[in-house]
Amino acid sequence: METRPETFSIFRTQENDPACQSEQHLGQYYTVPPSHFHTVFPHGLPPRYQQQVKTFNEGCVMVRQPALELISHLKRADYSKPTLRYLLYGVKGSGKTMSLCHAVHYCSTQGWLVLHIPDAHLWVKNCKELLPSSYHASRFDQPIQASNWLRNFRTTNEHFLSKIKLRQRYVWTKRESTEEGRPLGELVDMGVSRVKSSSDVVGAVLKELRLQAGGTEGGFRLAVAVDGVNGLWGRTTLKKEDKSPEGFDSMDPFVPVPVSLYSEKEFESCYLYYLDRHWLQHPHSQTEEGKKELIFLSNRNPSVLERLCAFL
Amino acid sequence: MAASVTGLLKPWTPRVLLVRWSRYNPYYLEPEPRKEVYHIPETELTPEQKEERELKSVRPIKAATNSVTSSVFNDPVLSKFVNMMMKDGDKIIAKGIITQTLENMKRKQVEKYHKAPEGKKAEIECNPYTIFHHALENCKPVIGLASIQKGGKFYQVPIPLTDNRRRFLAMKWMITECRDNKHRRTLMYEKLSQELLAAFSKEGNVVKRKHELHKMAESNRAYAHYRWW
């Protein structure tokens, strides 16, 4: 990895810790340290952003208003009361997934256990393999999705897996069962290796975490981040599927957080970032005329701008 | 030829108006899509430009085609390439393939750029448009062959080519090469970007084909006098 000199620039900030970022950093890019990158975000990032990270050799996230709001709520919330839910909403391509990932980064730097579901639609639609669930008669399972998710869960939360102990005995087949008091890591490994019962393992993991999260002895904070959460209530291609997803209650007491398109300042810093990373190559795109045209064509929508700048 | 005909033609508009056809009465003038031409103030115009403006105010003008934009990013060579790649009039797919190709080329070059040591950075060309233009230049043949009949037999005679013909041949070779010689699973934009990057550094199948054409022309030098134009 190349080391960059610490030059002062308008669109970058040296404050790489989400906990210390505040309104003065709005519109600036902070770098996710490369060592953290693969542990914190094995899944959950939009695919085009992952390609961008690979091309630029670094992962930079813009500090934006919705993410900061979410993080400040998380800092100040009172945990003895019932948990609050936050809903990020906005037009397509306005940056909801990225704000969610920013908040997830904050949670993992604070040492919380993060349950990040990259896309709820994947679990509900278009599944290639189905297995009728042994747990509930009317449910269907998706073994591949479940095993993928468990593998990523293991990468994200390594240090928690050995600490948490199971409170209940789980029986998978006639010959296999997991006893009480074994660490969670074993459960997850079991789910990854045995694909057939991986969805049951997912259910068991969620149940365990729910029971243990608020506990006083060695209790840890649990953050659940679900992307595409409307998929859990929308139409499913699987008939007779139980709508209540894995035991979560319905979303009623929630705090809505709107995610808007780029403001002028944010657009400026995005433009400067692309220029800095040698991404805007067309000679005309670097002029004022080209910039005005980019604003017009993309309407300051982050994903549209990204797609436009890709071939310019 | 058109100059003499236009003198005789009167400003006649047919009852059924031709919109966006390619065959117009030669009386009609070409549209000017570039914005900067209209921003020049009255005082700075040269006499020819003034004359041109006056002519445009009396003559009818052809309708502009869909592919012509007043955007700064408009590139006529690229539009021609898109049109040649198009099948069954589906320009959306052709344009999509070209944009994916440009993006792919840029990604590869930018990745190489960021990983290269400081000294080598200046040599890596990241702009996909310059790569495209240079690659096309490298694929253009200098001399072509024509089949000329003399004394009952056909001979391959080396002839000079016009600029348009050279450009057409380069694009045609590029497209046929990418369509035919690729693995079943590689996508078109992937293969195109590989070929363009290879042609930029003067390797690859298309420049090989150009060199073979040159060799054929060189070997048939003796028949050059069969050309009468």
Side-chain angles (χ1 to χ4, degrees), chain B residues 11 51 62 86 143 202:
Chain B
E51 228 183 271
K62 298 184 193 177
M86 177 165 65
I143 194 166
K202 299 207 173 115

Side-chain angles (χ1 to χ4, degrees), chain A residues 279 284 293 309-312, chain B residues 71-72 103 106-107 126 129:
Chain A
W279 190 233
H284 276 137
E293 216 179 292
C309 295
F311 61 84
L312 275 179
Chain B
S71 140
V72 289
E103 189 192 325
K106 191 160 68 149
R107 254 184 226 285
C126 289
Y129 293 87

